[in-house]
């Protein structure tokens, strides 16, 4: 795995890419593939551009914006140029096969576009547009690296790059995985705590202050649990971060005594 960090390895990769371009790209049939891809993109844009406003207006008239179907239709309207491009590339590959021409570049570009359209439509089920686009981009990046046969070397390079905290090695791959898991577990914990909070506030036999205290305690507990699960699931030893807890304890001891005192007093008042 260490050879991924050696300059000679990447020099060899660059030389092989250069040779591949000379052997595969700068030839007649490959240039025809490139011309077909460019033509497909232009034609798809000319076809989809006038259709997108009409589809958006039709979908808006049905008042489906807040539903899963509405989000799916909105994502379909946004990816319409890519959908048309994929269809045109399919037809072009059929013609090229009949003519005995190579279709390797057409096939690669069609696979990348198909993966993006499929992932974008699936992630439209996520309510938040920000998270939907982020998940789609991350998933498509992994799919693209796999299609280009670059996923394994990329993962190996990220796993070999990092730093050490105590006896634990924190690689870039582990940190990225931890962030991905946090982006899943923390919103899930917040959603569960919101549902529990609604049920708690529906209890008529409980004092309002106790409802607030219990709901906040459950929300904090679930969020902390989600963070711990995400961090520990990627193999990061939680003891490696013990110094952070020590620093926080020292900070509380010296500078935050009044804040902690007021916080504890607030909890006591809520219990009363």
């Amino acid at each position: 795995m260490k050879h991924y960090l050696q300059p000679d390895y990447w020099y060899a990769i660059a030389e092989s890419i250069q040779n591949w371009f000379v052997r595969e790209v700068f030839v007649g049939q490959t240039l025809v593939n490139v011309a077909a891809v460019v033509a497909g993109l232009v034609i798809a844009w000319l076809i989809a551009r006038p259709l997108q406003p009409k589809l958006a207006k039709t979908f808006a008239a049905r008042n489906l914006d807040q539903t899963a179907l509405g989000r799916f239709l909105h994502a379909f309207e946004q990816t319409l140029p890519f959908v048309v491009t994929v269809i045109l590339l399919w037809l072009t590959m059929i013609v090229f096969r009949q003519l005995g021409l190579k279709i390797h570049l057409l096939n690669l570009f069609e696979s990348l576009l198909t993966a993006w359209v499929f992932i974008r439509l699936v992630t439209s089920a996520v309510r938040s547009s920000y998270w939907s686009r982020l998940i789609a981009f991350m998933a498509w990046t992994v799919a693209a690296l796999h299609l280009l046969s670059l996923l394994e070397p990329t993962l190996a390079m990220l796993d070999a790059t990092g730093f050490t905290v105590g006896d634990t090695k924190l690689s870039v791959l582990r940190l990225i995985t931890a962030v991905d898991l946090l982006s899943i577990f923390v919103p899930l914990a917040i959603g569960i705590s919101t549902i529990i909070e609604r049920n708690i506030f529906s209890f008529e036999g409980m004092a309002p202050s106790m409802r607030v205290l219990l709901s906040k305690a459950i929300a904090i507990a679930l969020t902390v649990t989600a963070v711990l699960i995400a961090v520990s699931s990627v193999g990061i030893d939680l003891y490696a971060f013990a110094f952070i807890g020590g620093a926080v304890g020292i900070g509380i001891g010296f500078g935050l005594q009044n804040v902690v005192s007021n916080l504890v007093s607030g909890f006591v008042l809520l219990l009363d």
Side-chain angles (χ1 to χ4, degrees):
M1 189 176 294
K2 292 182 179 179
H3 68 279
Y4 289 114
L5 299 179
Q6 300 298 325
D8 293 339
Y9 173 79
W10 293 105
Y11 290 150
I13 292 292
E15 185 177 358
S16 64
I17 292 175
Q18 180 182 358
N19 294 333
W20 180 82
F21 268 90
V22 174
R23 185 178 63 255
E24 299 289 343
V25 176
F26 298 119
V27 294
Q29 293 193 25
T30 301
L31 295 178
V32 172
N33 274 231
V34 173
V37 170
V38 174
L41 288 171
V42 173
I43 295 173
W45 183 79
L46 293 175
I47 294 175
R49 183 173 177 80
L51 294 177
Q52 284 180 297
K54 296 180 181 179
L55 290 176
K57 184 177 181 180
T58 302
F59 297 155
R62 297 179 180 272
N63 296 322
L64 299 174
D65 294 340
Q66 303 301 323
T67 64
L69 178 60
R71 293 191 297 272
F72 177 85
L73 294 176
H74 179 66
F76 175 78
E77 177 260 321
Q78 288 185 326
T79 58
L80 183 61
F82 302 117
V83 174
V84 178
T85 303
V86 169
I87 295 174
L88 292 177
L89 291 180
W90 283 346
L91 298 176
T92 304
M93 286 190 292
I94 293 175
V95 175
F96 275 33
R97 287 194 184 97
Q98 296 297 324
L99 297 176
L101 299 176
K102 293 182 178 180
I103 60 170
H104 55 287
L105 189 59
L106 280 173
N107 190 39
L108 175 61
F109 201 81
E110 177 269 330
S111 298
L112 291 173
L113 283 181
T114 301
W116 170 249
V117 171
F118 176 77
I119 292 171
R120 186 69 187 91
L121 293 178
V122 170
T123 55
S124 65
V126 181
R127 289 180 178 273
S128 172
S129 60
Y130 169 78
W131 287 109
S132 175
R133 293 177 183 274
L134 180 61
I135 295 172
F137 174 76
M138 294 171 59
W140 183 82
T141 300
V142 174
L145 289 174
H146 175 71
L147 292 172
L148 295 171
S149 300
L150 295 175
L151 181 59
E152 183 176 350
T154 301
L155 292 177
M157 182 182 66
L158 293 175
D159 189 48
T161 306
F163 54 93
T164 302
V165 179
D167 296 330
T168 303
K169 180 184 177 182
L170 298 179
S171 64
V172 176
L173 179 60
R174 282 189 175 186
L175 294 177
I176 293 175
T177 305
V179 171
D180 292 341
L181 293 176
L182 283 173
S183 65
I184 296 174
F185 289 149
V186 172
L188 181 62
I190 294 174
I192 294 175
S193 64
T194 301
I195 296 174
I196 295 175
E197 182 179 355
R198 291 175 182 172
N199 292 329
I200 291 175
F201 275 89
S202 64
F203 294 158
E204 297 181 355
M206 185 181 297
S209 59
M210 192 61 187
R211 297 177 191 175
V212 174
L213 177 60
L214 185 58
S215 62
K216 297 302 180 184
I218 291 175
I220 294 173
L222 288 176
T223 303
V224 172
T225 302
V227 173
L228 295 178
I229 292 175
V231 173
S232 61
S233 61
V234 296
I236 298 177
D237 189 2
L238 297 179
Y239 289 104
F241 299 95
F243 69 94
I244 298 178
V248 172
I250 294 174
I252 292 176
F254 283 100
L256 300 178
Q257 295 181 12
N258 293 332
V259 175
V260 175
S261 176
N262 293 333
L263 180 63
V264 173
S265 299
F267 277 112
V268 172
L269 291 175
L270 286 175
L271 289 174
D272 292 340

